[in-house]
Amino acid sequence: MFEIIEYEDKFEDRWDRFIKNDSINGTFLQSRDFLNYHPQGRFVDASLLVIQGSSIVAVIPACKVEDDYGKHFVSHKGSTFGGIVLHKEKYNIKTLQDIFLRLEQYLKDNHYVDAKMSQTSDIFSKKEMDLLDYFYYKQGWKSYSEISFYVDIEKAPDDLLRILSSSRRRDYKYSLKHDLQFRRLQTDHEIEEFHSLLSQNLKKFGAKPVHSVNELLEFKNKRLVNIVDFYGVYKRDAKLVAATMLFYFGKNVLHTQYLAQSQNKEDLNLYAMEFLNYNTMLLAREKGFKKFSFGISTEDQGKVLNIGLATFKEGFGCDYCNNKTYIKQFNKYSGGNGDAGN
């Protein structure tokens, strides 16, 4: 008999052990250790646990969002992935049928007008999650997809240059003429340099980094010591011209969370981003990762594809996967017409 209970701080250790040791599609992004880096008050936590006796069968990291339309249950806004995180030994029809029925009844009883669940992409899961996708469909959830790009390092030839497009290969070879250096960023000052470069990069597009420099330093020095890393490309004058923040998903996926390069015209002619990406792919192979992830290149719930960015990533020999989000209405909206914009 399954029971749905609301998350409390007393469950933190059990939650994180479940994510790390027992889940089939959980990652550190759904751990309380990661989610709790956000200051209190930024989100209203509405996370749930599915319990059988004294055992956790599933967890659902989520937030409560209220607006003029009513109360919404959404995947935790502090993480890329939320949704239903399942026990690796409970991934079966009977369990999923029971979880969906009990979850949907809970959402109705607690007066949520709708729910929005962003599931872990298959490349970050221990196996493909087709059965979970099917149950969302079976229960009448609508969905949208964001296309994500990754390189299958495990299946790539020994000479990684062979999988690059002719233009990416040409640009990388051109970068070799400029005496660039690829190395790990280790000191706090180097992380501050990276954040400054990233801020300048995003400013061009009217955006800001999601994380502050202090949050990046907390990741590096305390919260994600063995999970987060930083690498950069330096010119011979020791100027940082391109850099990335990396997330290590076990030994399965090395993911580029941020990519930034100097926007100075002189620096753009160095092709430092090609140099950075290719060397990071080599790093993924050296460290034994199966896949190298570039992340998504979409906006507006996947409706808008950034063609330039997507084709740039594609040139590094990428395959494609979908990041899926599921939505379902459970009660009447309080105001407005049509669907709520959560």
Side-chain angles (χ1 to χ4, degrees):
M1 188 76 169
F2 295 164
E3 178 186 4
I4 287 186
I5 60 175
E6 296 174 357
Y7 174 79
E8 299 177 51
D9 289 343
K10 67 181 181 181
F11 296 121
E12 180 174 342
D13 289 343
R14 289 183 62 198
W15 177 296
D16 282 358
R17 285 197 301 272
F18 171 81
I19 292 289
K20 182 178 181 180
N21 301 323
D22 299 328
S23 67
I24 192 172
N25 60 333
T27 74
F28 74 89
L29 292 174
Q30 295 132 325
S31 70
R32 303 313 304 191
D33 187 44
F34 177 78
L35 297 175
N36 290 349
Y37 88 84
H38 295 286
Q40 286 191 349
R42 181 178 290 182
F43 308 119
V44 179
D45 196 286
S47 301
L48 303 173
L49 298 91
V50 182
I51 303 293
Q52 185 177 38
S54 60
S55 300
I56 298 177
V57 175
V59 299
I60 306 170
C63 293
K64 178 177 69 174
V65 175
E66 295 190 70
D67 59 20
D68 291 343
Y69 291 93
K71 185 170 66 169
H72 312 277
F73 184 87
V74 300
S75 282
H76 202 292
K77 289 180 169 291
S79 175
T80 306
F81 303 127
I84 300 172
V85 182
L86 285 157
H87 195 293
K88 59 189 176 185
E89 295 179 2
K90 298 290 184 178
Y91 184 54
N92 57 60
I93 291 171
K94 187 176 185 303
T95 297
L96 281 168
Q97 179 74 51
D98 203 358
I99 286 175
F100 270 92
L101 291 176
R102 292 181 186 280
L103 171 61
E104 293 187 357
Q105 191 61 52
Y106 170 88
L107 295 171
K108 292 175 186 176
D109 292 345
N110 285 273
H111 311 293
Y112 286 101
V113 295
D114 57 18
K116 182 178 179 180
M117 310 275 263
S118 298
Q119 286 296 150
T120 303
S121 177
D122 278 354
I123 68 167
F124 298 100
S125 302
K126 292 182 174 65
K127 65 184 297 183
E128 293 181 352
M129 301 300 294
D130 290 351
L131 184 62
L132 179 57
D133 290 341
Y134 168 73
F135 266 91
Y136 275 114
Y137 168 76
K138 175 182 176 296
Q139 293 299 119
W141 293 65
K142 298 178 180 179
S143 67
Y144 66 83
S145 294
E146 298 175 274
I147 195 69
S148 187
F149 298 79
Y150 73 95
V151 177
D152 195 329
I153 297 292
E154 193 174 37
K155 295 181 180 179
D158 291 340
D159 181 6
L160 281 177
L161 273 179
R162 288 172 53 195
I163 69 173
L164 271 60
S165 68
S166 58
S167 58
R168 290 288 80 78
R169 194 181 308 122
R170 180 196 64 224
D171 293 345
Y172 169 71
K173 289 181 177 179
Y174 187 83
S175 74
L176 298 178
K177 299 179 180 180
H178 299 290
D179 195 23
L180 299 175
Q181 180 188 17
F182 173 79
R183 66 177 176 84
R184 187 183 179 207
L185 310 183
Q186 300 187 66
T187 68
D188 288 1
H189 175 69
E190 288 171 335
I191 306 308
E192 291 167 359
E193 272 191 300
F194 163 72
H195 193 270
S196 176
L197 180 67
L198 179 65
S199 298
Q200 294 168 24
N201 202 164
L202 293 175
K203 186 177 181 180
K204 178 182 177 181
F205 305 100
K208 296 180 180 180
V210 173
H211 301 102
S212 69
V213 65
N214 287 332
E215 288 172 339
L216 296 189
L217 290 172
E218 183 184 1
F219 289 167
K220 168 186 170 289
N221 297 324
K222 180 182 177 183
R223 197 174 289 275
L224 302 177
V225 173
N226 298 314
I227 293 173
V228 70
D229 224 336
F230 301 85
Y231 278 82
V233 174
Y234 287 85
K235 293 199 302 187
R236 63 173 67 107
D237 60 1
K239 178 184 177 183
L240 183 67
V241 291
T244 182
M245 173 181 172
L246 303 174
F247 281 158
Y248 298 155
F249 287 84
K251 276 294 183 182
N252 189 37
V253 182
L254 187 154
H255 172 71
T256 54
Q257 180 64 19
Y258 287 128
L259 285 167
Q261 68 175 330
S262 169
Q263 296 300 300
N264 294 339
K265 184 176 180 180
E266 177 186 345
D267 295 335
L268 290 173
N269 291 332
L270 300 173
Y271 295 95
M273 187 56 70
E274 284 80 358
F275 187 80
L276 173 69
N277 285 334
Y278 183 68
N279 276 281
T280 311
M281 290 165 59
L282 292 176
L283 179 73
R285 168 165 281 174
E286 177 187 319
K287 288 182 174 290
F289 287 93
K290 297 177 181 178
K291 296 177 176 65
F292 174 77
S293 165
F294 279 105
I296 64 171
S297 299
T298 53
E299 303 168 24
D300 191 19
Q301 298 185 346
K303 296 174 186 174
V304 177
L305 177 65
N306 185 327
I307 296 292
L309 181 59
T311 54
F312 176 79
K313 293 176 179 179
E314 203 174 39
F316 288 92
C318 284
D319 288 318
Y320 319 93
C321 64
N322 282 316
N323 292 359
K324 295 182 179 179
T325 297
Y326 297 88
I327 304 169
K328 186 174 181 179
Q329 182 178 340
F330 294 99
N331 290 293
K332 290 183 178 179
Y333 295 123
S334 299
N337 296 311
D339 292 339
N342 56 39

